[in-house]
Amino acid sequence: NSGYQYILTEKKGRVGFVTLNRPKALNALSDGLINEINNAVHLYQDDKDIGSIVITGSEKAFAAGADIKEMEKVTLPEAYNRDMLAQWHDLTKIRKPIIAAVNGYALGGGCELAMMCDIIIAGDKAIFGQPEIKLGTIPGCGGTQRLVRAIGKSKAMELILTGNNLSAIDAERAGLVSRVVPAAELLSEATKLAEKIASHSQLTVAMAKEAVNESYELTLQEGIKFERRLFHSTFGTHDQKEGMNAFVEKRNPVWENK
Ligand code: CO8
């Protein structure tokens, strides 16, 4: 629907879904596919009815990496001149929470795509990895940076230098994914999680996401100060007054996202 070639999009209640749909190439991430994902999530960002976003793939593959056939012949001047992969990071500019629901392979760029999302939940047969070393290249979309922050240097180094895969259970133990569910229940569990997030004030949720993401960028002292200033800001919102008043009056809050 919506004229996309490589993805499907669907709104269910307050959740916006993006399903990667390039089955013949195991959802290999071509520029076209990435552009469509970026386009869809930006539309959800601008859609007042949407409170959270789920990105998923198929049972066999979330995404088996960047498109090797598209990359194979690229020369250094070409890659440099078009700043190859630069636009892939656009996803991290989205201010609404994004859940990656991963079944099957999340390899290379697929693993990096999942790590650009805010929460990863995995089906029990999901497989994560950064196999670029086996292709004579290295992760190019944040893998060497985000994987280290997610699971620590030693585990990240081992995965990136060997090209070995990480099972869903090991990914959960290492902290890469927040939880593992039976593969058949992945989408319903991701939907429940997304609905719960979307049931809160969108304004406050965006502030909480921003504060958590700053922990990647700032020193502890700077981060604590950033958090405190945003926390202070919530007291200038309708939704903080409403949330606390609803608690005191023992009723459900009615959020106005302002
Ligand atoms: N690119 C292009 N085509 C692919 C890719 C890929 N990454 N992965 C699979 N395909 C294609 C296969 O070529 C095959 O096509 P065809 O039928 O025309 O031959 C089809 O998908 C099905 O694949 P397989 O037959 O190989 O399926 P198997 O079940 O036997 O194996 C695997 C599945 C193990 C996932 C295997 O396909 C594989 O190893 N794929 C490559 C995984 C990989 O190396 N990924 C890393 C790519 S490099 C990368 O991501 C660089 C990061 C750059 C940044 C990315 C930004 C987000």
Side-chain angles (χ1 to χ4, degrees), residues 1 38 60 124 129-130 149 174-175 188 192 197:
N1 53 1
N38 282 335
K60 171 135 198 221
D124 53 6
Q130 299 287 161
R149 284 161 166 83
S188 62
K192 272 192 246 164
I197 292 169

Side-chain angles (χ1 to χ4, degrees), residues 24-26 28 60 64 66-69 85 88 108-109 112 131-132 141:
K24 284 195 191 119
L26 300 182
K60 171 135 198 221
D67 191 320
I68 298 168
K69 292 166 190 168
L85 300 186
W88 292 37
E112 292 170 312
E132 287 88 344
C141 204

Side-chain angles (χ1 to χ4, degrees), residues 14-63:
R14 297 175 51 70
V15 181
F17 291 83
V18 176
T19 304
L20 279 57
N21 186 32
R22 218 190 146 203
K24 284 195 191 119
L26 300 182
N27 292 331
L29 301 163
S30 57
D31 276 340
L33 175 47
I34 286 291
N35 288 339
E36 290 190 0
I37 296 172
N38 282 335
N39 186 276
V41 292
H42 278 94
L43 291 176
Y44 287 145
Q45 174 65 38
D46 293 340
D47 186 338
K48 279 202 204 66
D49 297 332
I50 293 297
S52 60
I53 299 165
V54 172
I55 299 182
T56 193
S58 68
E59 189 118 342
K60 171 135 198 221
F62 178 74

